[in-house]
Amino acid sequence: MSTPAHIPAEPPAPRPHLTVRGGGTVTDRLVEANRRYAAAFDDPGMDARPVLHVAVVACMDARLDLHAALGLELGDCHTIRNAGGVVTDDVIRSLTISQRALGTTSVMLVHHTGCGMESLTEDFRHALEDEVGQRPAWAVESFRDADQDVRQSMQRVRTSPFLPHTDDVRGFVFDVTTGLLREIDPAVRPSQERK
């Protein structure tokens, strides 16, 4: 069976900068970095409740340094990340816990330009099913228009019966080439954007 174009045929070649002293894996490198971090660590004495009472839902893309981009410090927010930054049932679960158990009242949604989810389709799931013999229980949640998907995500948050705080839900697209956020108007329909 041939490998579909959107599923890598082979894992990427090892990168020397990801190995640790004496060899090892990237996970070994991260564990070693944690030991150095822990040696100088002082318990900040924080509680799990975010100081700014905000939860940020964003894409997992490695180009997004959310804390730096938004001027956040440790303890300021809850950060929920997934492929595309889309609002799925699991994101609603995390937001519900964030609001009901940990005091957040605002939700910020962050998609970005050049997102890989714009090039995937549900064919990805079908290819996985063909490859492994089992259909994934989850949807890909791909999209062609980041602005419209931000609107859909805002709507999912605002209409969830589990979330008591839906007045301050705002959505943005982060430009990976300029570092700027562009706010998305939830009332604009795709047909109005093209005018």
Side-chain angles (χ1 to χ4, degrees):
M1 171 191 318
S2 66
T3 303
H6 56 275
I7 299 176
E10 297 177 20
R15 296 183 288 176
H17 68 282
L18 298 180
T19 59
V20 294
R21 259 181 289 133
T25 66
V26 68
T27 303
D28 295 326
R29 176 178 177 241
L30 299 176
V31 170
E32 185 176 305
N34 174 257
R35 287 188 188 110
R36 290 189 302 273
Y37 172 78
F41 184 77
D42 287 319
D43 179 358
M46 293 179 176
D47 163 306
R49 296 172 184 271
V51 173
L52 299 179
H53 305 284
V54 64
V56 179
V57 178
C59 185
M60 66 186 191
D61 193 291
R63 296 171 290 181
L64 276 66
D65 183 349
L66 288 174
H67 277 71
L70 302 176
L72 295 166
E73 299 290 331
L74 180 67
D76 282 348
C77 72
H78 283 158
T79 306
I80 303 160
R81 295 182 77 160
N82 67 22
V86 296
V87 175
T88 61
D89 287 345
D90 193 59
V91 169
I92 293 294
R93 177 188 73 88
S94 293
L95 288 173
T96 301
I97 293 166
S98 178
Q99 288 191 0
R100 291 183 177 268
L102 297 165
T104 61
T105 55
S106 298
V107 178
M108 182 176 190
L109 306 171
V110 182
H111 282 34
H112 66 91
T113 58
C115 186
M117 295 305 288
E118 293 173 312
S119 62
L120 288 178
T121 66
E122 285 300 313
D123 289 341
F124 182 81
R125 286 177 74 228
H126 302 304
L128 281 174
E129 181 179 6
D130 290 345
E131 181 184 331
V132 303
Q134 181 178 339
R135 179 179 299 137
W138 38 264
V140 174
E141 294 279 355
S142 60
F143 49 86
R144 292 186 304 213
D145 180 336
D147 291 20
Q148 182 55 29
D149 200 70
V150 169
R151 285 187 197 92
Q152 177 175 300
S153 291
M154 284 190 279
Q155 185 65 15
R156 285 178 176 175
V157 171
R158 288 184 173 138
T159 59
S160 173
F162 305 111
L163 300 173
H165 306 289
T166 57
D167 293 336
D168 188 15
V169 177
R170 294 171 63 187
F172 301 84
V173 173
F174 176 85
D175 189 313
V176 297
T177 60
T178 67
L180 289 172
L181 288 174
R182 179 173 49 82
E183 188 157 9
I184 302 303
D185 183 342
V188 175
R189 288 188 221 117
S191 59
Q192 294 172 315
E193 283 179 336
R194 293 176 182 82
K195 291 180 181 178

